[in-house]
PDB file of all heavy atoms in Angstrom:
ATOM      1  N   PHE M  64     -30.101 -36.771  -8.606  1.00  0.00           N
ATOM      2  CA  PHE M  64     -30.530 -38.127  -8.863  1.00  0.00           C
ATOM      3  C   PHE M  64     -29.538 -38.759  -9.828  1.00  0.00           C
ATOM      4  O   PHE M  64     -28.767 -38.071 -10.461  1.00  0.00           O
ATOM      5  CB  PHE M  64     -31.958 -38.207  -9.359  1.00  0.00           C
ATOM      6  CG  PHE M  64     -32.191 -37.406 -10.632  1.00  0.00           C
ATOM      7  CD1 PHE M  64     -32.029 -37.995 -11.860  1.00  0.00           C
ATOM      8  CD2 PHE M  64     -32.532 -36.072 -10.577  1.00  0.00           C
ATOM      9  CE1 PHE M  64     -32.227 -37.263 -13.009  1.00  0.00           C
ATOM     10  CE2 PHE M  64     -32.722 -35.326 -11.730  1.00  0.00           C
ATOM     11  CZ  PHE M  64     -32.541 -35.924 -12.953  1.00  0.00           C
ATOM     12  N   GLN M 132     -22.895 -35.080 -21.029  1.00  0.00           N
ATOM     13  CA  GLN M 132     -24.280 -34.704 -20.646  1.00  0.00           C
ATOM     14  C   GLN M 132     -25.299 -35.404 -21.522  1.00  0.00           C
ATOM     15  O   GLN M 132     -26.290 -35.976 -21.008  1.00  0.00           O
ATOM     16  CB  GLN M 132     -24.449 -33.208 -20.738  1.00  0.00           C
ATOM     17  CG  GLN M 132     -23.799 -32.444 -19.606  1.00  0.00           C
ATOM     18  CD  GLN M 132     -24.001 -30.939 -19.767  1.00  0.00           C
ATOM     19  OE1 GLN M 132     -24.043 -30.419 -20.874  1.00  0.00           O
ATOM     20  NE2 GLN M 132     -24.127 -30.248 -18.651  1.00  0.00           N
ATOM     21  N   ILE M 150     -35.323 -30.412 -18.315  1.00  0.00           N
ATOM     22  CA  ILE M 150     -34.127 -30.870 -19.037  1.00  0.00           C
ATOM     23  C   ILE M 150     -33.134 -29.733 -19.250  1.00  0.00           C
ATOM     24  O   ILE M 150     -31.930 -29.924 -19.129  1.00  0.00           O
ATOM     25  CB  ILE M 150     -34.548 -31.460 -20.414  1.00  0.00           C
ATOM     26  CG1 ILE M 150     -35.495 -32.652 -20.218  1.00  0.00           C
ATOM     27  CG2 ILE M 150     -33.313 -31.866 -21.206  1.00  0.00           C
ATOM     28  CD1 ILE M 150     -34.876 -33.811 -19.466  1.00  0.00           C
ATOM     29  N   ALA M 151     -33.610 -28.530 -19.542  1.00  0.00           N
ATOM     30  CA  ALA M 151     -32.693 -27.440 -19.880  1.00  0.00           C
ATOM     31  C   ALA M 151     -31.695 -27.119 -18.817  1.00  0.00           C
ATOM     32  O   ALA M 151     -30.562 -26.675 -19.071  1.00  0.00           O
ATOM     33  CB  ALA M 151     -33.488 -26.209 -20.270  1.00  0.00           C
ATOM     34  N   LYS M 152     -32.043 -27.342 -17.556  1.00  0.00           N
ATOM     35  CA  LYS M 152     -31.139 -26.977 -16.470  1.00  0.00           C
ATOM     36  C   LYS M 152     -29.868 -27.842 -16.476  1.00  0.00           C
ATOM     37  O   LYS M 152     -28.851 -27.419 -15.949  1.00  0.00           O
ATOM     38  CB  LYS M 152     -31.840 -27.106 -15.110  1.00  0.00           C
ATOM     39  CG  LYS M 152     -32.139 -28.526 -14.695  1.00  0.00           C
ATOM     40  CD  LYS M 152     -32.836 -28.558 -13.336  1.00  0.00           C
ATOM     41  CE  LYS M 152     -33.105 -29.993 -12.876  1.00  0.00           C
ATOM     42  NZ  LYS M 152     -33.801 -30.030 -11.578  1.00  0.00           N
ATOM     43  N   PHE M 153     -29.930 -29.022 -17.064  1.00  0.00           N
ATOM     44  CA  PHE M 153     -28.738 -29.874 -17.101  1.00  0.00           C
ATOM     45  C   PHE M 153     -27.697 -29.376 -18.079  1.00  0.00           C
ATOM     46  O   PHE M 153     -26.557 -29.818 -18.077  1.00  0.00           O
ATOM     47  CB  PHE M 153     -29.130 -31.303 -17.453  1.00  0.00           C
ATOM     48  CG  PHE M 153     -30.040 -31.945 -16.474  1.00  0.00           C
ATOM     49  CD1 PHE M 153     -31.366 -32.234 -16.794  1.00  0.00           C
ATOM     50  CD2 PHE M 153     -29.611 -32.277 -15.197  1.00  0.00           C
ATOM     51  CE1 PHE M 153     -32.195 -32.818 -15.888  1.00  0.00           C
ATOM     52  CE2 PHE M 153     -30.450 -32.863 -14.286  1.00  0.00           C
ATOM     53  CZ  PHE M 153     -31.736 -33.118 -14.642  1.00  0.00           C
ATOM     54  N   TYR M 154     -28.089 -28.453 -18.969  1.00  0.00           N
ATOM     55  CA  TYR M 154     -27.164 -27.920 -19.940  1.00  0.00           C
ATOM     56  C   TYR M 154     -26.398 -26.712 -19.428  1.00  0.00           C
ATOM     57  O   TYR M 154     -25.546 -26.157 -20.153  1.00  0.00           O
ATOM     58  CB  TYR M 154     -27.919 -27.504 -21.218  1.00  0.00           C
ATOM     59  CG  TYR M 154     -28.689 -28.577 -21.866  1.00  0.00           C
ATOM     60  CD1 TYR M 154     -29.895 -28.331 -22.508  1.00  0.00           C
ATOM     61  CD2 TYR M 154     -28.248 -29.903 -21.863  1.00  0.00           C
ATOM     62  CE1 TYR M 154     -30.645 -29.347 -23.132  1.00  0.00           C
ATOM     63  CE2 TYR M 154     -28.965 -30.933 -22.472  1.00  0.00           C
ATOM     64  CZ  TYR M 154     -30.147 -30.626 -23.086  1.00  0.00           C
ATOM     65  OH  TYR M 154     -30.858 -31.637 -23.701  1.00  0.00           O
ATOM     66  N   LEU M 155     -26.672 -26.242 -18.210  1.00  0.00           N
ATOM     67  CA  LEU M 155     -26.073 -25.007 -17.725  1.00  0.00           C
ATOM     68  C   LEU M 155     -24.564 -25.040 -17.692  1.00  0.00           C
ATOM     69  O   LEU M 155     -23.922 -24.056 -18.016  1.00  0.00           O
ATOM     70  CB  LEU M 155     -26.628 -24.682 -16.350  1.00  0.00           C
ATOM     71  CG  LEU M 155     -28.113 -24.279 -16.282  1.00  0.00           C
ATOM     72  CD1 LEU M 155     -28.542 -24.051 -14.851  1.00  0.00           C
ATOM     73  CD2 LEU M 155     -28.370 -23.051 -17.097  1.00  0.00           C
TER      74      LEU M 155
END
Side-chain angles (χ1 to χ4, degrees):
F64 57 91
Q132 285 180 325
I150 301 297
K152 70 180 181 180
F153 298 111
Y154 302 145
L155 290 178

